[in-house]
Amino acid sequence: MATSSPPSLLTSPASTKPKHYLPPRPILPSRQSANNSRVVATNATSRRELVTTMLTAGLIASQLQPVSPALAESDEEYVKETSEVISKVRNTITMDKKDPNVADAVAELREMSNSWVAKYRREKSLLGRPSFRDMYSALNAVSGHYISFGPTAPIPAKRKQRILEEMDTAEKALLRGR
């Protein structure tokens, strides 16, 4: 008696394709449907890689931009402009309180000091200098006084003395190249 083997779920070696196998339909790139979701996923990956690459390139390019023109061009320019601000501060804070030009002088001083601070506070090489530190402190004290009390209010003697001392030390540091 011949025994037959039970039916198996595996296909026989002669037939490698199951009977229910259908050949795949060709995927057209212009057709967007559920059947070609694999193409959509591939395109999304390449878009993602493209966006990542572009963002990375943009960040690198932003780090390589040249220094903006508002920054100091040289050490000589810093010394010259700082000396001008020092003389302007001295002239303005020593003006007589009855002088009719005090308000205009204070407005000019505030404009000059704001532009000086905006220009030089971004300079990493100047931040450690004693001349910069003293000038910044003095300008902060002068501006704070005139903002709080108005352009015609006289600076108290103690504050004026401290500001003038900071101007002196800043000027000495400038002469030494510090």
Side-chain angles (χ1 to χ4, degrees), residues 29-165:
S30 63
R31 187 174 171 199
Q32 300 293 326
S33 69
N35 293 338
N36 64 355
S37 61
R38 187 177 54 163
V39 171
V40 173
T42 307
N43 286 343
T45 303
S46 62
R47 272 189 243 128
R48 187 178 305 124
E49 289 172 357
L50 177 67
V51 168
T52 304
T53 304
M54 291 177 71
L55 287 174
T56 304
L59 288 173
I60 291 171
S62 69
Q63 297 296 322
L64 298 176
Q65 290 180 349
V67 177
S68 67
L71 298 178
E73 294 177 7
S74 70
D75 214 32
E76 295 156 0
E77 180 184 9
Y78 168 75
V79 171
K80 179 179 156 265
E81 289 184 7
T82 304
S83 297
E84 290 172 1
V85 173
I86 288 172
S87 66
K88 184 68 176 173
V89 169
R90 282 187 180 143
N91 292 337
T92 303
I93 67 173
T94 56
M95 288 179 87
D96 188 32
K97 66 180 180 179
K98 295 177 184 175
D99 191 342
N101 298 325
V102 171
D104 294 334
V106 169
E108 289 175 17
L109 174 63
R110 288 193 57 211
E111 184 179 323
M112 182 182 264
S113 66
N114 286 341
S115 65
W116 185 90
V117 168
K119 185 173 186 177
Y120 294 114
R121 77 171 159 208
R122 290 180 272 166
E123 289 281 336
K124 301 269 189 228
S125 62
L126 299 176
L127 295 179
R129 287 185 172 193
S131 62
F132 178 82
R133 182 189 63 232
D134 291 336
M135 274 301 298
Y136 191 88
S137 175
L139 290 175
N140 193 27
V142 171
S143 295
H145 172 79
Y146 287 127
I147 287 171
S148 298
F149 301 108
T152 57
I155 296 179
K158 203 172 187 180
R159 185 176 297 156
K160 184 188 279 187
Q161 180 184 0
R162 186 183 68 115
I163 291 169
L164 290 174
E165 286 174 5

